[in-house]
Amino acid sequence: MNKTPLIDCQNLIFSYQLAENRINQAQKIFGIVVVQRLLCFALYLLGLTRKAIGQSLEIPSETAKSIIKAINRNGLSALEDRRRRFSTFLPKALPELPPITLREKGDNIIVSFGMGNRYLKLSRHDPLQLKTVLLSMLNNGLLSKREVAEAIKLSPSHTVTLARRLKEQGARSLIDRRQGQKQDYRVTAEVKAELIQQFAVDVITSGRTSSKTISAVLKKRCDIDLPDRTIRHHVARMGLGKIKRSLPKLVDAVKKTSNDCSKT
């Protein structure tokens, strides 16, 4: 182990004039208290007793003892006046940032950053963007699992699964794969016409209908291959379900009116 070299002050030449000038200059920069504590600790390191330190600096030996103890315990901050609001020696602590919060406003989710009017508005009408942004914030520790789950209306466990998928596979992994089955490119105007016609025939003749039956009939009669799931989607989209009860009644009323007219 290397020994710390001792400074032999007896063989050093001191200038009282330089010392006075330098101490006065240091006091203007650091203050009298700080300079006094620096000198106290420096003399302590050079091997002077606490009594000798007190005599040299014209302070009680107990004060010298307290200064040395405080510096050994607290480091640089002990050199300063405790009444200071902040240290001029130590780096300033970064201010604690306000928390990021979520709130719902109409059809939007507002991401507030807690700094003035800085916020992010996400529309529920764009669920992919909503999920991508909030799950990215979850992955980066800016939002909690509970907050994101409530915002995108999913369970916490499913939210964590989506966040992991986004991180590993990217935003494309969040696209609902079922959406492809709802696209209209497979259902032309001619196909829709046959669908409506078959729906009407089934309702009028039997008073009921099903997507599986329509799918089978269209395949047999028109060679149209349309999955029953797609049929249900378009039946609902065109509002055909609302006429299931009214259409047979309307047809009966028209028949009755026609018969009455033929008798007169």
Side-chain angles (χ1 to χ4, degrees):
M1 180 180 294
N2 295 330
K3 294 183 179 180
T4 302
L6 297 177
I7 301 175
D8 187 0
C9 296
Q10 300 296 327
N11 298 323
L12 298 179
I13 300 174
F14 291 91
S15 170
Y16 291 101
Q17 184 63 43
L18 287 176
E20 185 177 5
N21 293 340
R22 291 171 182 174
I23 290 175
N24 288 336
Q25 185 177 4
Q27 288 176 345
K28 292 178 182 179
I29 299 173
F30 301 108
I32 297 175
V33 173
V34 173
V35 172
Q36 184 184 69
R37 292 178 181 179
L38 278 171
L39 292 173
C40 177
F41 195 66
L43 292 173
Y44 165 75
L45 293 179
L46 290 173
L48 269 69
T49 65
R50 292 170 177 79
K51 182 178 180 181
I53 292 172
Q55 291 174 347
S56 299
L57 299 178
E58 298 182 351
I59 59 175
S61 59
E62 287 300 318
T63 301
K65 182 179 179 180
S66 298
I67 292 173
I68 294 165
K69 184 178 179 181
I71 295 175
N72 279 327
R73 182 178 63 245
N74 301 322
L76 287 176
S77 61
L79 294 173
E80 297 181 282
D81 190 340
R82 293 182 180 178
R83 293 171 295 180
R84 285 180 177 269
R85 295 179 61 184
F86 58 88
S87 173
T88 57
F89 291 165
L90 303 178
K92 293 182 180 179
L94 294 176
E96 186 175 350
L97 295 176
I100 297 175
T101 58
L102 298 180
R103 61 185 174 89
E104 195 161 356
K105 185 177 181 181
D107 292 332
N108 299 310
I109 293 294
I110 307 299
V111 184
S112 176
F113 295 97
M115 295 179 287
N117 292 324
R118 302 185 69 177
Y119 63 88
L120 185 64
K121 182 187 291 186
L122 301 171
S123 174
R124 284 200 177 279
H125 297 300
D126 191 348
L128 181 58
Q129 182 197 41
L130 179 67
K131 289 180 181 178
T132 302
V133 173
L134 295 186
L135 290 172
S136 295
M137 296 181 74
L138 171 60
N139 283 335
N140 286 278
L142 300 175
L143 291 171
S144 69
K145 173 178 62 179
R146 178 186 58 79
E147 290 174 311
V148 176
E150 291 178 356
I152 62 178
K153 299 187 182 303
L154 294 174
S155 67
S157 59
H158 192 190
T159 299
V160 171
T161 300
L162 289 182
R164 187 185 307 113
R165 186 186 302 170
L166 172 64
K167 185 176 181 180
E168 295 174 353
Q169 304 176 28
R172 289 180 179 272
S173 65
L174 300 180
I175 298 175
D176 189 347
R177 294 174 175 80
R178 296 172 300 175
Q179 295 298 321
Q181 299 177 355
K182 297 181 180 180
Q183 295 178 2
D184 281 347
Y185 73 91
R186 297 180 58 186
V187 184
T188 62
E190 291 76 10
V191 173
K192 287 182 181 179
E194 290 293 344
L195 190 158
I196 295 171
Q197 181 173 257
Q198 189 61 48
F199 179 89
V201 169
D202 290 348
V203 171
I204 293 171
T205 57
S206 64
R208 58 189 177 83
T209 186
S210 73
S211 58
K212 288 185 177 181
T213 300
I214 294 176
S215 178
V217 173
L218 291 181
K219 177 65 176 176
K220 182 177 180 180
R221 181 169 61 83
C222 308
D223 197 24
I224 295 175
D225 191 6
L226 205 60
D228 57 318
R229 186 172 190 170
T230 302
I231 292 173
R232 286 197 300 272
H233 167 68
H234 286 284
V235 167
R237 188 172 184 179
M238 292 185 287
L240 297 179
K242 297 180 180 179
I243 65 172
K244 288 179 68 173
R245 294 183 179 180
S246 61
L247 183 58
K249 294 178 181 179
L250 180 60
V251 172
D252 289 341
V254 172
K255 287 181 179 179
K256 183 177 180 181
T257 302
S258 298
N259 291 336
D260 291 342
C261 291
S262 62
K263 293 179 181 179
T264 58

